[in-house]
Amino acid sequence: MLLHAFYNQDGIGDVLLVRLGQGNTVRYEKNNDLVILYDENNKVIGYNVLSASIYFENLNTGLVKITEEFVDSMNKLLQANELELVSSDFSYKFIVGQVVEMKDHPDSDHLHVCIVNLGNESTQIVCGASNVGEGKLVVVATIGSVMPSGMIIKPSTLRKVPSNGMLCSARELKLPGAPDVPGILILNGEEYQVGQEFIF
């Protein structure tokens, strides 16, 4: 299950936004401190948890890291309201990768087709950043990642070339002090290793 959550007490109050995947909300029901969100097929696609700090500890602003403790807290709340429990994939989603091969896109004058080593596998990612290059360490948002903007990373095809993930900029990751200039984030090889989780 693709489980992700957002929290911004200053922006919307003590409300935790939990999503179980993709889809558009077409109706909702309120059940105590839970607002249950449904899509057009009457499938539950998420919850808004009111008074969230009562049920969850140490909520940070922005994208909430999904841990076993978070899932346990969510399931206690769901169980108390006689609702179906949730689960989550705890594998790393943002990974330090290394561009091991790069060539020009056959149908673009600015896109590059990169083979990126993620430690236990390699993947192909199409990237338009001018500062990408072979040997560079980068932050890879893998399939299923949820960007701070709320965008979910999915397999895509860019001008007929498959792309499985995204090479991230500091601005896209909303890192403090991120420069307002184009280009992906290049990591220092003395601080980061290929395959490790990138925590932000």
Side-chain angles (χ1 to χ4, degrees):
M1 178 179 291
L2 178 59
L3 183 66
H4 57 281
F6 301 88
Y7 184 75
N8 187 343
Q9 186 168 19
D10 293 336
I12 60 174
D14 192 16
V15 180
L16 178 67
L17 310 178
V18 181
R19 296 296 176 270
L20 309 183
Q22 300 182 59
N24 297 318
T25 302
V26 299
R27 73 178 186 91
Y28 63 88
E29 295 177 356
K30 188 174 183 299
N31 189 350
N32 298 314
D33 281 337
L34 277 178
V35 178
I36 310 163
L37 311 177
Y38 297 89
D39 67 8
E40 64 275 5
N41 298 315
N42 207 37
K43 178 183 176 182
V44 176
I45 59 171
Y47 302 96
N48 293 345
V49 182
L50 311 180
S51 302
S53 58
I54 295 175
Y55 306 101
F56 297 88
E57 296 181 355
N58 304 318
L59 287 172
N60 58 284
T61 297
L63 189 64
V64 176
K65 184 173 177 61
I66 305 301
T67 62
E68 291 184 17
E69 292 76 15
F70 178 91
V71 174
D72 287 344
S73 296
M74 188 69 204
N75 281 333
K76 286 177 183 176
L77 181 57
L78 293 171
Q79 190 171 34
N81 287 274
E82 299 181 344
L83 295 168
E84 185 176 351
L85 304 185
V86 296
S87 60
S88 185
D89 175 7
F90 297 111
S91 62
Y92 299 158
K93 295 301 180 187
F94 293 88
I95 298 175
V96 175
Q98 184 173 40
V99 179
V100 294
E101 182 182 332
M102 185 183 79
K103 59 185 178 181
D104 292 337
H105 192 291
D107 192 29
S108 170
D109 60 0
H110 72 280
L111 294 176
H112 310 285
V113 182
C114 302
I115 303 300
V116 184
N117 176 17
L118 300 177
N120 59 353
E121 64 175 336
S122 293
T123 191
Q124 177 172 285
I125 298 175
V126 177
C127 176
S130 61
N131 65 333
V132 66
E134 290 185 2
K136 292 187 177 181
L137 291 183
V138 295
V139 179
V140 180
T142 61
I143 300 302
S145 300
V146 182
M147 300 298 293
S149 65
M151 179 178 70
I152 299 173
I153 302 300
K154 301 178 290 185
S156 61
T157 301
L158 298 176
R159 298 193 181 183
K160 300 181 181 180
V161 175
S163 182
N164 298 297
M166 186 173 83
L167 305 186
C168 302
S169 70
R171 184 172 51 180
E172 288 165 331
L173 296 172
K174 297 193 182 301
L175 299 181
D180 191 21
V181 293
I184 57 172
L185 176 63
I186 303 298
L187 301 175
N188 185 334
E190 295 181 359
E191 299 179 34
Y192 296 94
Q193 294 183 337
V194 173
Q196 79 176 78
E197 180 182 18
F198 184 80
I199 300 173
F200 58 99

